Structure formats: structure tokens, C-alpha cells
Amino acid sequence: MLTLTDLPEALRQHVAATRERVAALHAELPRNELVVWTAGNVSERVPGTEEAGLPGLFVIKPSGVSYDDLAAEVMVVCTLDGEKIDDGTPARLQPSSDTAAHAYVYRHMEHVGGVVHTHSTYATAWAARHEAIPCVLTMMADEFGGDIPVGPFALIGDDSIGRGIVDTLRESRSPAVLMAQHGPFTIGKDARAAVKAAVMCEEVARTVHVARQLGEVQRIEQAHIDSLYARYQNVYGQGGKQPEQQQDPHHGEEAGS
Ligand SMILES: O=C(CO)[C@@H](O)[C@H](O)COP(=O)(O)O
């Protein structure tokens, strides 16, 4: 078993910083009303392992622990096979029950640095119906680049959920997938981006549901979706990129391709 204290100092510092980020981001789940009790989790890939010639690692919350108690020192460190390393936490402290799903995503989507899972009400209601959320809002085009897809029903406990997440997201620009009759999983370049996607996923799931109560909704034309997505992903905010820097952040290709 890999032991944290045997790792190079630089990597131990990366692990510590990742633990702090993942612990802090878990507070965003109840703050944004995305979870009840402990029903949600955040993970982030530890940077620098490849440079150190070591196996990949990620940090995830311990299973079933209250968000009030999720301090950095109880964040669990796992290999990309989902195995807990000797990370300084009590041996009895088990990683999230969704660790296998997060690990599968990290093994099969190298550009992904963060994964989030919730059971947020409106997104999970769409998942209960096996129904993709149609891209009828500019906010959906901005953040999801189109519809939010539905993934297959899969039981927890092996690679089934992770495989369903990856197989679905590989066919979409969306950083969110609604796993059928379970709930949303989101990805991002880091954990903060994945948490943002989870917040935006619940917001648009609610808005589109309300709109459909009022009447028919109309999907935005694909050319407009592509234009909105390219702008938001590359120009919005304070970090506007030059044309040569622009790419699709979720899939590493040219934006709009
Ligand atoms: O869906 C499930 C359990 O069926 C999980 O997503 C839990 O809701 C969160 O589990 P932990 O991360 O606390 O283990």
C-alpha cells in the first residue's frame, strides 16, 4: 500500500492543498441546497503524481460523514483504482461509496480534474424520468454546450456507474450527466469547476421544469448554442482567452467543434 509519508515533499504538499480544496468545496453542496444529509460528494485529482513517476491519486470525502465535520485532515486519498492509501486517516475511515465511479472517470478521462455527485432535487427528478434536459436556455448553452444527457441506470458497487458516466459524457460537451433513477454526476478541470457544473445543472433543471409547467419549450438552434458556448467558455468573465488559446474545456478540442 502506498504511504503518504513516503511520497516526495512536493507531492505531499500537493496532497495537502488538494485536501484543503476538496474539504472547502463540500460546504458548497449544502450551501447551494444540492444535498440532504450526506448525500453528495466531491473529489479532485492530485496534481504532480506523473512528474514524480508515481501512480495517479485523488482526494474524496469519507463516506457518510456530516458536511460539518469534513475537515481537510479527514479527506481520503485514493489511487485511480479507488483504493485508499495509507493517508494518515484512521484505517476504519472509508472513502465515499461513489469512489469507484470517481476513480473510473479519472482513469478514462485524463482531462478531468474534479468530479461531483449529488441527488439535487430537480436534476434527480429528470433522472428519475430517464429524460435529458433540453437546451432551451442560453445558460444551458453557456455551461453545458447543449442538452444535459441521461446516463444508464447502474447499481453502485463496481465500475457500472463510472462506465455509464464516461460513455455518456464522451458523446457530449456537457460536464453533467443525469444517471437514470440515481442523480447527477458532474466533471470539470478541477473540483471547483465540477461543483459549479452541479450548481448550474440543478438551476437549469428547475427552470426548465417550471417553463414546461407553463407550456411548450423550444430548443435553441444549434448554431446559436455553439456560438453561446464558445463565447462563455472562452470570453466570459475576467479570463478571456486569445483565439489561439480557445478550446473546449471539457474535451480539450477547439471550442464549437
Ligand atoms: O447514492 C449514494 C448512496 O446510494 C451516495 O451517492 C450517497 O448519497 C453519498 O454517499 P457517500 O459519499 O457519503 O458515501
Side-chain angles (χ1 to χ4, degrees):
M1 175 189 286
L2 204 57
T3 301
L4 182 59
T5 51
D6 291 342
L7 298 180
E9 170 61 19
L11 202 46
R12 292 204 304 272
Q13 289 178 5
H14 281 315
V15 169
T18 306
R19 275 173 144 167
E20 290 291 344
R21 285 194 299 273
V22 173
L25 282 167
H26 271 92
E28 292 298 314
L29 303 187
R31 192 173 77 84
N32 285 281
E33 299 182 347
L34 300 182
V35 294
V36 290
W37 203 240
T38 63
N41 39 67
V42 179
S43 73
E44 186 170 83
R45 194 191 295 265
V46 175
T49 56
E50 290 174 349
E51 291 82 339
L54 291 166
L57 299 171
F58 69 96
V59 169
I60 194 165
K61 81 165 203 183
S63 181
V65 175
S66 167
Y67 294 105
D68 294 336
D69 301 327
L70 288 181
E73 53 269 21
V74 299
M75 291 296 119
V76 178
V77 185
C78 295
T79 66
L80 297 195
D81 291 323
E83 299 301 322
K84 177 181 176 182
I85 74 168
D86 179 1
D87 62 4
T89 63
R92 59 173 168 72
L93 200 64
Q94 294 303 309
S96 166
S97 46
D98 293 300
T99 297
H102 289 237
Y104 190 96
V105 172
Y106 289 126
R107 290 198 305 273
H108 293 84
M109 302 185 91
E110 289 181 2
H111 61 285
V112 171
V115 180
V116 169
H117 169 50
T118 77
H119 296 248
S120 61
T121 303
Y122 285 87
T124 303
W126 286 84
R129 290 184 38 76
H130 292 238
E131 187 173 357
I133 304 175
C135 188
V136 299
L137 303 170
T138 57
M139 178 188 264
M140 290 194 67
D142 288 347
E143 175 69 15
F144 302 97
D147 301 354
I148 297 179
V150 174
F153 177 78
L155 287 177
I156 196 166
D158 57 20
D159 281 344
S160 303
I161 294 176
R163 187 177 299 110
I165 295 167
V166 171
D167 290 350
T168 306
L169 289 182
R170 275 206 178 117
E171 303 305 317
S172 166
R173 289 189 299 204
S174 173
V177 54
L178 309 174
M179 291 303 282
Q181 294 178 275
H182 185 173
F185 282 80
T186 61
I187 61 173
K189 64 181 176 60
D190 53 26
R192 180 173 178 77
V195 168
K196 177 190 175 188
V199 171
M200 302 278 268
C201 177
E202 177 63 6
E203 174 64 11
V204 300
R206 177 171 41 240
T207 305
V208 179
H209 166 71
V210 169
R212 291 212 309 190
Q213 303 304 300
L214 299 171
E216 286 297 309
V217 293
Q218 185 176 340
R219 198 173 185 279
I220 296 172
E221 285 179 35
Q222 190 58 48
H224 294 161
I225 292 174
D226 294 345
S227 168
L228 288 162
Y229 181 67
R231 185 202 72 86
Y232 187 77
Q233 297 300 327
N234 293 289
V235 178
Y236 172 77
Q238 301 307 315
K241 294 180 183 147
Q242 297 309 311
E244 65 277 7
Q245 294 173 296
Q246 296 184 13
Q247 65 175 354
D248 174 347
H250 302 305
H251 299 81
E253 299 135 17
E254 281 303 306
S257 60

